[in-house]
Amino acid sequence: MSETNAALSSVIPTYSRFPISITKGEGSYVWDENGKQYLDYTAGIATCNLGHAPASVKEAVKEQLDTLWHCSNLYHIPIQEQLADLLTANTFADQVFFANSGAEANEAAIKLARSYAQKVKGTAAYEVVTFSQSFHGRTLATLAATGQEKIQKHFAPLAKGFRYLPYNDNQALEDLIGPDTCGVLLEIVQGEGGVIPADPAWVKEVARLCKEHDVLFMLDEVQTGVGRTGTLYAYEQYEVQPDVLTTAKGLGSGIPIGAMLATEKAAAAFEAGSHGSTFGGNPVAAAAGKATLEVIANTEFLAEVQEMADYFREELQAIVTQSSTFTDVRGKGALLGLGTSGKAIELVHQARELGLLVLVAGEHVLRILPPLNTSKAEVDFCLETLKQITRV
């Protein structure tokens, strides 16, 4: 769609769209309406973890479409149960609640934390602690949970019950648990907030304090989950076990699905009627999730992801040392960030002109999200493109 036609669009302009229309995707590549090919290292914002239209997921979805598209959660859904079994077998969790997105999964987690405090513990606690520069969604509750004023602008009054502390700040942990605190929600890597990984010792102390005070320790792994950081979920690299974890994005390879994972103890706070979703765990979405996990929740596959990510990071570091355009490499696994000396969005535009799609994570961070099964040749193309834009 041209910029002129875009101005006449019937779609409410809530997105600052780039001036191209994507019409096809396959593997690590997408094509625009003019047939131009781009290496897509946005992966649908960490969603297409197996690239575009992966064959095994496509076949699973086609098979499900021939059987059953939808039925309500008033009935047992076998494919949904199979996906839940895969998630619990490969994580800390005992039970799963299915939603349609990361924001909905986080809404479920917030509700669960309050219900745990009030129904299970018998207290009046309602407050969830989150952290500065966090991002948890755009619903009224999850934007209130998000520690960024730009996300909250024009939506006052914000939903009550959230308190923000500095991220990775040990001194601030003295104020972590208050009399009204029912849960702590954090990202292992702050993706939207600048591709900032959590400090392992800090995360362990947060987990310890939550356990000591019996408040729910909740991890938002919407962006870091499903292999993105080199393990199925990033918490595995931190030697902690959450009470609750939220996941979405990469779980369905582009088919909308979200999930809240919980221990049996935490899940006991929900009962029939406590929460629900018309489309959550829909048969088609569940089929996509199951087929996606069957590929990614594999030790050999994840080892290859980490090998690719290590190579990518090492080469990015070499570019940083040779250029004043970039200041540092950050992130974890295949969730990578490059600090920039100028405005990152200008580099995004330059890269797109050269056939590479990347994102920003704030004003001075370039965010790179390759498909987890990308090839070395594709990584090398990205690297060469970044070298070119440092010379523009």
Side-chain angles (χ1 to χ4, degrees), residues 151-171:
I151 303 297
Q152 300 168 344
K153 188 177 180 181
H154 303 313
F155 297 113
L158 297 179
K160 295 180 180 180
F162 299 96
R163 181 163 56 91
Y164 319 108
L165 291 178
Y167 190 69
N168 277 340
D169 188 320
N170 287 315
Q171 190 172 5

Side-chain angles (χ1 to χ4, degrees), residues 70-77 80 272-273 277-278 280:
H70 179 73
C71 69
S72 81
N73 279 301
L74 295 175
Y75 308 99
H76 293 287
I77 304 173
Q80 182 189 98
S277 171
T278 297

Side-chain angles (χ1 to χ4, degrees), residues 215-341:
V215 302
L216 294 190
F217 174 49
M218 306 188 294
L219 297 181
D220 178 341
E221 292 227 32
V222 171
Q223 187 161 168
T224 55
V226 199
R228 176 56 52 184
T229 65
T231 50
L232 187 61
Y233 287 97
Y235 78 87
E236 299 170 53
Q237 301 172 46
Y238 281 74
E239 299 179 352
V240 295
Q241 178 173 303
D243 299 299
V244 175
L245 180 147
T246 57
T247 182
K249 287 189 180 291
L251 184 57
S253 290
I255 304 297
I257 187 169
M260 179 192 71
L261 285 59
T263 62
E264 184 178 7
K265 179 182 177 182
F270 272 178
E271 58 187 13
S274 295
H275 197 43
S277 171
T278 297
F279 294 107
N282 170 283
V284 175
K290 179 174 179 284
T292 300
L293 271 186
E294 284 174 342
V295 175
I296 295 178
N298 177 287
T299 303
E300 292 182 3
F301 180 88
L302 290 169
E304 291 174 0
V305 172
Q306 193 58 62
E307 183 179 350
M308 175 272 290
D310 288 344
Y311 169 73
F312 207 161
R313 189 184 190 96
E314 182 178 330
E315 294 299 313
L316 288 173
Q317 188 59 57
I319 292 175
V320 168
T321 60
Q322 297 165 13
S323 169
S324 60
T325 302
F326 300 115
T327 60
D328 63 286
V329 183
R330 55 184 75 174
K332 188 173 287 293
L335 172 50
L336 292 162
L338 278 173
T340 64
S341 55

Side-chain angles (χ1 to χ4, degrees), residues 112-127 176-184 205-218 242-244 263-267 269:
L112 188 71
R114 288 189 178 183
S115 184
Y116 180 79
Q118 296 172 30
K119 175 177 178 285
V120 177
K121 293 173 61 180
T123 74
Y126 64 94
E127 176 188 79
L176 185 70
I177 309 296
D180 295 322
T181 306
C182 65
V184 176
E205 183 61 11
V206 173
R208 186 192 70 77
L209 288 167
C210 287
K211 184 175 182 179
E212 178 183 321
H213 293 273
D214 194 20
V215 302
L216 294 190
F217 174 49
M218 306 188 294
D243 299 299
V244 175
T263 62
E264 184 178 7
K265 179 182 177 182

Side-chain angles (χ1 to χ4, degrees), residues 40-43 49 228 308 312 334-336 368-372 374:
D40 183 11
Y41 270 17
T42 75
N49 284 6
R228 176 56 52 184
M308 175 272 290
F312 207 161
L335 172 50
L336 292 162
I368 305 171
L369 300 163
L372 305 184
T374 192

Side-chain angles (χ1 to χ4, degrees), residues 22 24 46 97 172 184 293 298 324 354 367 370 380:
I22 302 300
K24 177 185 174 183
F97 173 84
V184 176
L293 271 186
N298 177 287
S324 60
L354 296 171
R367 184 169 26 160
D380 287 342

